[in-house]
Amino acid sequence: MKSIGEALVAQLVERGVDTVFGIPGVHTIELYRGLAESGIKHVTPRHEQGAGFMADGYARVSGKPGVAFVITGPGLTNTLTAMGQARADSVPMLVVSGVNQVASLGKGLGHLHELPDQLALAQTVALHSERLERSSDLLPALDRAFGPFNSGRPGPTHIEVPLDVAGQEFAGSALSEGSKTTPKADAEFLAQAAQKLNSAKAPVILAGGGVRQSRALVQALAERLDAAVVQTVNARGLMFEHPLGVPASPSLAAVRTLIEGADLVLALGTEIGQTDFDMYATGTMARMPGLIRVDLCPDQLARHEAEIAIEGDAAEVTSALLSLLEGNDPAGEGSARAAKARAGAMEEIGADMRAACEVLDAMRDAVPEALMVGDSVYPIYAGNLYYDHDRPGGWFNAATGFGALGYGIPAAIGASLADPSAPVICIVGDGGAQFSLPELMCAVDEKLPITFVIWNNHGYQEIATSMQDADVKVVGCDPTPPDFEFVARSCGMPFQRIKSDPHMVSEALQQAQGVPGPRMVEIQTPNLAQAN
């Protein structure tokens, strides 16, 4: 007979899990009993936060939930930050943790890794969190943990397995996971939306992460409506070089003007969150005339008033609307409106960010169809304001939503494991890189084709600038970076150091692609400490 820990692993296999990120510990040994024979690949990060970020990057690229095994107490608390990022960006993630023996919980007896209430702590972040206490709990708990991945808006879930439960005999019967179900869009609302769209003369589409893998559908809808398409950060790549595409932040005045000048706005799979639509924290967003909103989550639909709110999968609703729409207006001016917004947005972001965007363009052109994964760092801020990527779902970072620093390196590792055939470019700052530098060795262990690009400005430039703008003396923003050449050498990685010149960047990335395994390119910019 299998133990509960072995049965849990077997059930993960049944549910399509092929990779687990985790650091074994004495509190999770029973979870590992059946792992070696299961066919699941185990990846060992250097920190549990890295395990969570790897699971996040893996999920975004694979479309399957990322799974992490972590120990009791510090293992789980280290992973909570990654769970917070996954919740903010609707990324499916399952965290399986240990916990102390059932009889000891909540009694403050000084057990190893003890927390007052670990389950309650996880429940503040996870969409669903529960504890296994008997054999009969396992299958229902897994069904509930996988539930948000199969219907509604995904995010992180959590199951904890007590020390004295994991090794018990599993007496249940094997059950397969239920099929994926999504809310069926209301036919009457679809008809009403189609009628309004058919009569619109200057519509605008707001495309969010909910349609990031639906390039053909969104482009077809835009062309049918002659509608400019504003893409949030997680939707970049949908409309690469398309005349109707606006790969610029809806926080920019030029893009807000485009939105407010529409006679109808169709929002597809976007939560209309502040870090996309009001990143400057003005307390205002663009007025959205005649808003039709499509989202999987009824709670999200209730947060912004809309003329028509359609609950359903954004891609499925887009397909349904296409079947109900009439032909587009051949005399439409959608492309001209989009071009005006693009030009205005590019002018608005200023010379420094335009220069950073030129570096991003050079990276994209040097390594086509790359997965470009970022941390909170200047070129990522610039790209989130304006950048046109050439691969749907291939541009994502932690500079929006939860905004967890240290995300880039481990998330890039997860992304590369999800699609080993894809080149991966990881863009991190010298400060953010120091949050997760040890994870570089995981990339080495796995021989992953990742180019780690370190944007080295010798400090936390964005924070220093914000302090200066607030007339606060800059303190704590100049942590000394390591010599990244020796970091790369210590990891056995090829290394190049260049300036932030697009031609040099292009050449360096092209050269890096010819090297097997991970490699590092450092882009040096002016020293922040010396500038101040």
Side-chain angles (χ1 to χ4, degrees):
M1 295 291 290
K2 292 179 179 179
S3 68
I4 290 177
E6 289 175 296
L8 187 150
V9 170
Q11 277 294 306
L12 293 180
V13 173
E14 288 291 318
R15 295 161 194 263
V17 174
D18 58 21
T19 304
V20 165
F21 303 90
I23 302 175
V26 295
H27 283 192
T28 54
I29 286 175
E30 285 298 330
L31 297 180
Y32 282 77
R33 184 177 295 279
L35 196 61
E37 296 79 23
S38 68
I40 292 177
K41 179 180 178 63
H42 183 271
V43 179
T44 306
R46 275 39 177 183
H47 190 280
E48 289 92 356
Q49 180 172 281
F53 285 147
M54 288 178 194
D56 176 300
Y58 173 89
R60 293 190 199 226
V61 174
S62 71
K64 300 189 295 186
V67 179
F69 280 4
V70 300
I71 65 164
T72 310
L76 180 65
T77 56
N78 285 340
T79 314
L80 286 173
T81 296
M83 293 171 69
Q85 186 70 47
R87 178 150 187 169
D89 285 346
S90 304
V91 176
M93 177 191 296
L94 171 62
V95 175
V96 180
S97 76
V99 74
N100 288 311
Q101 296 181 354
V102 175
S104 74
L105 298 178
K107 295 183 179 178
L109 300 175
H111 285 270
L112 180 66
H113 303 326
E114 184 177 26
L115 284 168
D117 192 339
Q118 178 175 291
L119 188 65
L121 182 63
Q123 287 170 340
T124 64
V125 181
L127 295 177
H128 177 79
S129 175
E130 67 177 283
R131 178 186 304 134
L132 302 184
E133 295 191 4
R134 58 192 65 82
S135 179
S136 59
D137 291 345
L138 176 60
L139 296 175
L142 283 167
D143 287 340
R144 287 187 285 269
F146 275 79
F149 312 150
N150 297 321
S151 62
R153 190 179 184 198
T157 62
H158 168 246
I159 293 174
E160 65 179 22
V161 188
L163 274 170
D164 54 339
V165 172
Q168 290 179 11
E169 184 177 287
F170 175 69
S173 58
L175 297 176
S176 61
E177 178 193 9
S179 60
K180 183 176 179 66
T181 59
T182 54
K184 184 73 172 177
D186 185 282
E188 183 177 345
F189 287 167
L190 284 171
Q192 291 175 6
Q195 182 179 15
K196 287 182 176 294
L197 288 166
N198 278 325
S199 61
K201 300 301 182 185
V204 167
I205 295 172
L206 305 179
V211 288
R212 65 183 178 275
Q213 298 295 349
S214 304
R215 173 190 273 176
L217 282 173
V218 174
Q219 288 191 5
L221 181 66
E223 290 163 3
R224 185 78 59 85
L225 295 171
D226 191 41
V229 182
V230 177
Q231 299 139 76
T232 66
V233 168
N234 285 328
R236 298 294 173 82
L238 272 177
M239 303 287 291
F240 179 58
E241 294 187 337
H242 196 290
L244 289 169
V246 182
S249 170
S251 295
L252 295 170
V255 184
R256 288 188 171 194
T257 298
L258 169 71
I259 295 169
E260 292 183 344
D263 59 355
L264 184 148
V265 173
L266 173 63
L268 298 172
T270 170
E271 67 176 358
I272 314 182
Q274 183 208 29
T275 53
D276 267 311
F277 289 81
D278 185 28
M279 67 170 58
Y280 299 117
T282 64
T284 63
M285 293 187 185
R287 184 179 60 85
M288 301 179 188
L291 178 63
I292 299 172
R293 192 161 179 220
V294 181
D295 201 279
L296 269 176
C297 179
D299 293 336
Q300 281 295 339
L301 289 173
R303 288 176 184 141
H304 294 278
E305 186 175 350
E307 287 196 9
I308 301 175
I310 302 174
E311 181 184 352
D313 178 82
E316 293 177 3
V317 171
T318 300
S319 179
L321 288 173
L322 269 168
S323 69
L324 296 173
L325 292 178
E326 300 168 358
N328 62 332
D329 179 2
E333 298 178 355
S335 295
R337 289 192 293 270
K340 183 178 180 180
R342 290 194 301 268
M346 182 58 79
E347 178 65 25
E348 188 178 337
I349 65 175
D352 289 344
M353 284 200 166
R354 283 196 295 274
C357 289
E358 289 175 3
V359 169
L360 293 175
D361 289 345
M363 292 182 185
R364 178 199 62 213
D365 296 343
V367 190
E369 295 286 315
L371 297 168
M372 203 172 287
V373 184
D375 220 325
S376 294
V377 58
Y378 192 78
I380 295 296
Y381 298 138
N384 285 348
L385 282 174
Y386 194 115
Y387 172 66
D388 198 9
H389 198 51
D390 62 351
R391 174 176 178 152
W395 169 269
F396 59 89
N397 55 76
T400 62
F402 198 56
L405 201 56
Y407 171 87
I409 291 173
I413 291 169
S416 186
L417 286 161
D419 186 357
S421 67
V424 178
I425 301 172
C426 175
I427 306 173
V428 296
D430 59 290
Q434 292 181 74
F435 277 52
S436 50
L437 270 182
E439 304 300 354
L440 292 173
M441 284 307 299
C442 183
V444 172
D445 286 349
E446 300 296 331
K447 301 178 176 61
L448 300 175
I450 304 173
T451 304
F452 293 101
V453 178
I454 311 294
W455 184 270
N456 189 353
N457 57 23
H458 298 263
Y460 300 133
Q461 185 180 68
E462 184 221 7
I463 304 303
T465 300
S466 297
M467 293 175 81
Q468 290 168 338
D469 290 345
D471 197 26
V472 173
K473 184 174 178 60
V474 176
V475 175
C477 294
D478 56 352
T480 302
D483 187 319
F484 285 103
E485 180 176 3
F486 286 96
V487 171
R489 286 184 180 181
S490 72
C491 296
M493 288 186 192
F495 175 84
Q496 295 182 70
R497 178 178 287 126
I498 59 174
K499 300 297 183 182
S500 56
D501 173 83
H503 297 292
M504 295 179 71
V505 169
S506 177
E507 183 177 349
L509 263 69
Q510 287 176 349
Q511 291 176 0
Q513 298 314 297
V515 177
R519 71 290 292 196
M520 184 183 294
V521 175
E522 179 186 359
I523 299 177
Q524 285 199 325
T525 65
N527 188 318
L528 177 66
Q530 292 177 357
N532 290 320

